[in-house]
Amino acid sequence: GRLRQVEHEALLTLLAAQAGVATDSVVIAGATHTDDAVLVLRRTGMLLVEPDRFRDPERTPAPIFTGDEARGRLRELWELLTTLHDNGIAHGKLDEDHLVLDEGRLGVIDFRGGAVAPTPPQLRSDDAQLFTTSIGLFGHDLAIEGLVEHRSPEQIEALGLDLDEGAR
């Protein structure tokens, strides 16, 4: 039920914070006296991009990060995902709408689609989502560099990506 969903999201948010990931703070999770499920989070930082920035099919937004900052931020983003995975957490929705910048650090919010003790397909899904998101944040070429630097050839192959075709 809804209470279980709220408790699940609160748990994942707490576990991510405990792992050192910049994320929202859980204020309270539970049920009201009328059996409504309530999750109150204190937002950390600010959203990295305006919501739904890719909704306009006529407009391809420019990369958020460029130059020297881009490589460092891309590395930071892949390390954030590695931290989540190393701590038994899959996010499930790693897109631009769920990334925050908190006191200069990249972070992630909204764990409602996440999982504890994720399966290999859930981990691969996070990898694929982060790669796709990194294209919008850093541009195609740098996104490919980041993927190749942070995932083994076998992990990339498991994602079903044809990087040679995509680079043309």
Side-chain angles (χ1 to χ4, degrees), residues 143-160:
I144 290 174
E145 281 181 37
L147 178 65
V148 169
E149 180 181 336
H150 295 279
R151 293 299 179 259
S152 70
E154 295 78 22
Q155 290 171 312
I156 294 170
E157 185 177 317
L159 297 177

Side-chain angles (χ1 to χ4, degrees), residues 99-155:
L99 296 174
V100 293
L101 195 56
D102 183 27
E103 297 182 9
R105 276 178 58 204
L106 288 174
V108 64
I109 57 170
D110 187 0
F111 285 85
R112 106 185 58 173
V116 176
T119 64
Q122 288 170 316
L123 298 174
R124 284 194 306 270
S125 177
D126 271 1
D127 286 349
Q129 289 171 1
L130 185 59
F131 171 64
T132 302
T133 297
S134 67
I135 292 171
L137 293 174
F138 306 101
H140 189 268
D141 293 340
L142 196 52
I144 290 174
E145 281 181 37
L147 178 65
V148 169
E149 180 181 336
H150 295 279
R151 293 299 179 259
S152 70
E154 295 78 22
Q155 290 171 312

Side-chain angles (χ1 to χ4, degrees), residues 8 55 88 158:
H8 177 78
R55 296 276 183 217

Side-chain angles (χ1 to χ4, degrees), residues 49-129:
V49 298
E50 71 273 10
D52 301 324
R53 126 183 161 100
F54 284 106
R55 296 276 183 217
D56 183 359
E58 301 296 318
R59 179 180 151 249
T60 301
I64 297 294
F65 298 110
T66 57
D68 292 339
E69 181 186 21
R71 279 190 171 73
R73 290 295 186 179
L74 181 59
R75 185 176 317 102
E76 182 182 1
L77 200 52
W78 280 103
E79 288 170 359
L80 184 151
L81 181 58
T82 299
T83 297
L84 288 173
H85 288 180
D86 286 352
N87 283 277
I89 303 167
H91 185 272
K93 294 176 80 175
L94 281 170
D95 58 27
E96 292 177 328
D97 293 339
H98 296 95
L99 296 174
V100 293
L101 195 56
D102 183 27
E103 297 182 9
R105 276 178 58 204
L106 288 174
V108 64
I109 57 170
D110 187 0
F111 285 85
R112 106 185 58 173
V116 176
T119 64
Q122 288 170 316
L123 298 174
R124 284 194 306 270
S125 177
D126 271 1
D127 286 349
Q129 289 171 1

